[in-house]
Amino acid sequence: MKMKSGRKNKGDLRPGWDEYFLNIARAVSARATCMRRRYGAVITKDHIIVSTGYNGAAAGVKDCLDAGKCTRKELQIPHGQRYELCHSVHAEANAIIRASADELEGATIYISGADGDGCECQSEPCMMCKRMILNARIMKVVYADGNGKYHVVKPAGWLKGRI
């Protein structure tokens, strides 16, 4: 796993591709309907945007913002636990289901999130999303670390030590 700064070098007049698309993922996260955290995902192939997604309620289901409450928050469930109580579909999943298999194979996914207070948070995909990313044959994952930097990961290595 490589960690890179989210800042440009002084001599650079414009951001690199990873920083550019991660900034777009941040913008996409503004559409999220989760009260606890807002995530955005952008999938690219050959530096062209293939798909975007943000976390929000499944189609036809009232989201937390409209309902004015979050079940997991009310029950004080820590981040990363008891997803079955949540109405939201993750940003990565929403981006993946909006793209074709051909577009996904060999692609890169960029993920950024923010806490309810608007501060950037660590945006590594959960295990469920990692499996979807692997099945989609996405070859590179770039996610914000919550400290102004980002990680670049090859997903093929995620499950090697587990199986």
Side-chain angles (χ1 to χ4, degrees):
M1 168 177 27
K2 294 186 224 173
M3 188 164 73
K4 297 186 177 184
S5 171
R7 299 171 192 241
K8 297 182 283 192
N9 294 329
K10 289 181 182 178
D12 292 344
L13 297 176
R14 61 188 192 160
W17 288 111
D18 287 345
E19 185 180 351
Y20 172 70
F21 287 120
L22 200 57
N23 284 333
I24 294 172
R26 281 186 190 100
V28 170
S29 73
R31 290 282 308 150
T33 61
C34 178
M35 296 174 78
R36 292 179 87 179
R37 285 198 169 157
R38 302 165 79 87
Y39 288 98
V42 174
I43 298 175
T44 69
K45 191 166 185 178
D46 300 324
H47 300 146
I48 297 168
I49 295 175
V50 169
S51 180
T52 66
Y54 52 85
N55 59 318
V61 176
K62 192 174 198 176
D63 62 62
C64 294
L65 291 179
D66 287 339
K69 68 178 193 159
C70 170
T71 302
R72 291 176 63 235
K73 189 174 183 177
E74 286 178 349
L75 296 174
Q76 299 178 356
I77 296 169
H79 290 289
Q81 297 179 16
R82 304 290 314 270
Y83 285 130
E84 73 275 8
L85 297 175
C86 181
H87 294 109
S88 286
V89 177
H90 290 191
E92 302 93 322
N94 275 322
I96 288 169
I97 64 174
R98 299 283 182 234
S100 72
D102 290 339
E103 291 170 318
L104 294 169
E105 188 169 357
T108 299
I109 188 167
Y110 297 87
I111 308 157
S112 180
D115 285 321
D117 62 5
C119 293
E120 185 179 65
C121 63
Q122 204 275 4
S123 302
E124 180 177 4
C126 71
M127 186 52 74
M128 180 179 60
C129 288
K130 285 180 177 180
R131 291 191 300 262
M132 282 189 271
I133 288 167
L134 284 164
N135 269 1
R137 299 181 185 201
I138 292 172
M139 298 302 291
K140 179 179 163 186
V141 178
V142 180
Y143 63 90
D145 74 351
N147 294 309
K149 296 182 179 175
Y150 57 89
H151 296 275
V152 179
V153 180
K154 301 289 183 190
W158 277 336
L159 300 178
K160 283 189 176 171
R162 298 186 63 157
I163 300 174

